[in-house]
Amino acid sequence: MLTQKEIQSTIDMIDRQHLDIRTVTMGISLLSCADADAKTACDKVYEKICRYAENLVRVGVDIEREFGIPIVNKRISVTPMALVAAASACEDYVPFALALDRAAKTCGVNFIGGYSALVQKGMTKADEKLIRSIPEALDRTELVCSSVNVGSTRAGINMDAVALMGSVIKETAERTKDRDGLGCAKLVVFCNAVEDNPFMAGAFHGVGEAEKVINVGVSGPGVVYHALQSVKGEPFDVVAETVKKTAFRVTRMGQLVAQEASKRLDTPFGIVDLSLAPTPAVGDSVARILEEMGLETCGTHGTTAALALLNDAVKKGGVMASSSVGGLSGAFIPVSEDEGMIAAALSGTLTLDKLEAMTCVCSVGLDMIAVPGDTSAETVAAIIADEAAIGMVNNKTTAVRVLPVPGKQVGDSIEMGGLLGSAPVMPVHPESAAAFIARGGRIPAPLNSLKN
């Protein structure tokens, strides 16, 4: 039986420490929607999503009210659309994105992810069609998110796809320049993408998943920050144990919501993703957690070590609290979405190079970073290649979500609002990597891929 102290502690986590269920995401397989006629396929996509997810938002709101637990987003992820669209003879895949957008609006969800392609070892014609359609698709839709997996530990890095994504990101920024390149905030480039990630913009429903599934993403940077205030000056093993215990409590709440949503929606429970995903709100920052460990400013020497401890402790605490922990589970460092990261970037302490080092030990990678609008496609591609190399060699998921903001330079900032927050435009190295990117081909998989 819960004690009064435990109940009050949970209430405090929600009311004062920014704990929330960041997302309840329904994954839906669209493989059955493939059709030689593109219009028929799009109609099938719309119908199936609406049929499976028609009650998703209502159930989320009901659980939120009954349990008093904030559920910030209700989302849908689908089979990578390049696999579904491949059966159609059409050249233009944008109608598939429009069908996804229309279904998302009908269901009332916040986002729908899965306008995606998996090209870590090579591109099919369908993959290339979809990738080239991304700028127009993200310009003409509101709720669609897109992702492309360009590398893996087993396959290496597809540098042709990396080069193409540099150009696609630049074109997406240009098409949405009236919104400060906002389309790029809905586009992620992965290495070692996972099939059960509930967080946008990188969520898709993997081919190894069930027909439909419920995945829940929990977020609690404020709770961890508050817990660490009680162990000031204590050694790091005490810090790690405190984070583990806190992560356990947070994940239990996610497990409760996931099971309840699964039952009410008659949909199998997939995973709980315990990720410290920050928001622009004061008191809900991963950077402030690292500073609470003793750093004057996030980004100074010691930041990578502090983040490594945090990420590991979160995973260890979370895995004991749920029957199935998955997704990305750890600490996210999206610059624009973290009040402390924004402050550190503005001060000049947090740089792109330091962020790259931090991605070696965090959950994802270079996330929500604004760079000058005149940054070349080759430089964007080189940033992607660096991050993919970290993921490939270390057998971890890494990603790049970068916004080359048209008309903006270092010293400027952009305001995206909501959970996307605001971002200072950060400098990139001016020296060219064009000849490096122009080589193309594939960077071979590392020796540690041979584990059979």
Side-chain angles (χ1 to χ4, degrees), residues 17 219-229 231-232 236 239-240 242-243 246-247 250 275-279 283-299 302-303 305-311 313-314 330-333 338-341 358:
Q17 300 164 25
S219 180
V223 180
V224 174
Y225 173 76
H226 179 81
L228 290 185
Q229 289 180 314
V231 293
K232 287 183 182 293
F236 281 116
V239 173
T242 301
V243 174
T246 305
V250 170
S275 288
L276 299 185
T279 72
D284 200 27
S285 163
V286 169
R288 299 305 185 196
I289 296 174
L290 305 180
E291 291 168 357
E292 183 61 29
M293 293 185 193
L295 304 174
E296 182 176 350
T297 304
C298 178
T303 299
L307 183 58
L309 181 153
L310 176 65
N311 205 60
V314 165
F332 290 0
I333 53 171
D338 186 306
E339 166 267 327
M341 294 283 178
M358 291 165 68

Side-chain angles (χ1 to χ4, degrees), residues 55-132:
N55 295 319
L56 176 61
V57 172
R58 178 184 60 78
V59 166
V61 171
D62 288 347
I63 293 173
E64 188 173 12
R65 288 173 179 167
E66 291 175 30
F67 290 85
I69 301 171
I71 300 176
V72 179
N73 285 296
K74 296 83 179 174
R75 298 163 171 169
I76 298 169
S77 63
V78 299
T79 306
M81 190 51 65
L83 300 177
V84 180
S88 305
C90 64
E91 293 298 317
D92 181 12
Y93 283 2
V94 173
F96 288 92
L98 297 176
L100 292 177
D101 200 50
R102 189 159 56 96
K105 290 175 179 176
T106 298
C107 295
V109 296
N110 301 95
F111 287 108
I112 185 166
Y115 196 72
S116 306
L118 310 178
V119 296
Q120 56 269 23
K121 202 168 184 179
M123 286 184 283
T124 66
K125 292 180 179 179
D127 291 327
E128 186 171 352
K129 288 179 190 177
L130 183 132
I131 291 172
R132 293 188 183 280

Side-chain angles (χ1 to χ4, degrees), residues 32 42 49 104 143 147 164 182 247 309 320 334 366 387 413 424 445:
S32 63
C42 288
I49 292 171
L143 305 179
S147 60
L164 180 55
L182 184 61
L309 181 153
M320 295 298 294
L366 297 172
E387 197 59 26
S413 62

